[in-house]
Amino acid sequence: MTAPVFVVPTDRLAIAAPGALVRLDGTEGRHAVAVKRLEVGEAVTLTDGLGLGGHGTVSAVHGKDALDVALAELRAEPAPAARLVVVQALPKGERGELAVETMTEVGVDVVIPWAASRCITQWKGERGAKALAKWRATAREAGKQARRLRFPEVRDAVTTRQLLPVLAGAAFAGVLHEEGSAALAAAELPPAGDLVLVVGPEGGISPEELAAFAGAGAHPYRLGPSVLRTSTAGVAAGAVLLARTGRWA
């Protein structure tokens, strides 16, 4: 069985070395002891979610909410040269968390929630803050489940106007659209920089939004012969680009 992953503060791993003991406590410690019921000698992976991680075994259990891990290996995972950024239009219901979960599993680096003009769901006030917190918690838990040392960044939600500078500053920017004349699988990709993909809502991207994106350098690409739901298009398109960047080699 693959060792479970737990998150610890960066400073605990940054000063550690093979053979050192690292304390796992707080919410993660309670989960390890009370839910996972880890015992001395069992394998564990620790990470700060920012690229630093360590593998080791449980050396001691303290009560119901803490344990010590004896590190056998410490590893720093560098940031990718080509960073995959998915701009995700706000889906209905729990499909937003589904999109974040699957994109995290496939390897997306940044998720930007987008309030498109045709989105039925709108994030406003306390409701928006709670929804964003759910997306971020989903990315964290999916990152642990996928054994990632570097979790995706879930940014604050943006409007179309706020999104334009992101597209203009990208090394590659594309909009998934069923009427795109170019295939995403054949797009020319740069070796480094942000690769930004825009995923529209179930109601589609408006002509005004498409025009604004084109003005910022983001042109429409088709993903394939079928039309995917907004909650699955990002992961499918992300897989296409990740395979082509060599990160899956």
Side-chain angles (χ1 to χ4, degrees), residues 17-209:
L21 295 181
V22 177
R23 177 63 58 93
L24 181 64
D25 53 17
T27 302
E28 292 288 272
R30 286 192 294 275
H31 186 70
V33 176
V35 179
K36 290 293 188 179
R37 300 184 183 277
L38 296 182
E39 299 178 349
V40 172
E42 292 194 74
V44 172
T45 296
L46 303 178
T47 181
D48 63 354
L50 300 173
L52 189 61
H55 304 290
T57 56
V58 178
S59 64
V61 177
H62 305 283
K64 297 181 179 180
D65 60 1
L67 53 78
D68 290 332
V69 176
L71 288 181
E73 176 191 359
L74 192 64
R75 182 164 65 92
E77 181 180 286
R83 189 170 64 158
L84 181 54
V85 181
V86 174
V87 177
Q88 174 66 58
L90 305 179
K92 296 182 294 184
E94 297 180 351
R95 287 193 171 272
E97 288 99 276
L98 173 63
V100 173
E101 180 181 55
T102 52
M103 286 191 290
T104 298
E105 291 172 356
V106 82
V108 169
D109 301 296
V110 180
V111 178
I112 303 178
W114 170 41
S117 63
R118 293 179 177 175
C119 283
I120 296 175
T121 298
Q122 295 294 326
W123 286 3
K124 295 181 179 179
E126 184 178 352
R127 177 185 179 183
K130 288 182 178 179
L132 179 61
K134 283 185 178 180
W135 280 34
R136 287 173 172 164
T138 298
R140 174 187 170 101
E141 293 307 310
K144 291 165 58 178
Q145 184 68 32
R147 272 63 177 176
R148 289 182 61 168
L149 297 185
R150 187 178 295 275
F151 298 165
E153 172 191 0
V154 179
R155 296 184 185 170
D156 292 343
V158 298
T159 63
T160 297
R161 183 181 297 274
Q162 292 169 328
L163 180 56
L164 298 182
V166 177
L167 300 178
F172 168 86
V175 183
L176 296 184
H177 198 274
E178 64 270 21
E179 296 181 3
S181 59
L184 183 65
E188 185 175 347
L189 301 178
D194 283 354
L195 312 180
V196 182
L197 282 173
V198 179
V199 179
E202 297 291 358
I205 300 173
S206 72
E208 295 78 13
E209 288 166 336

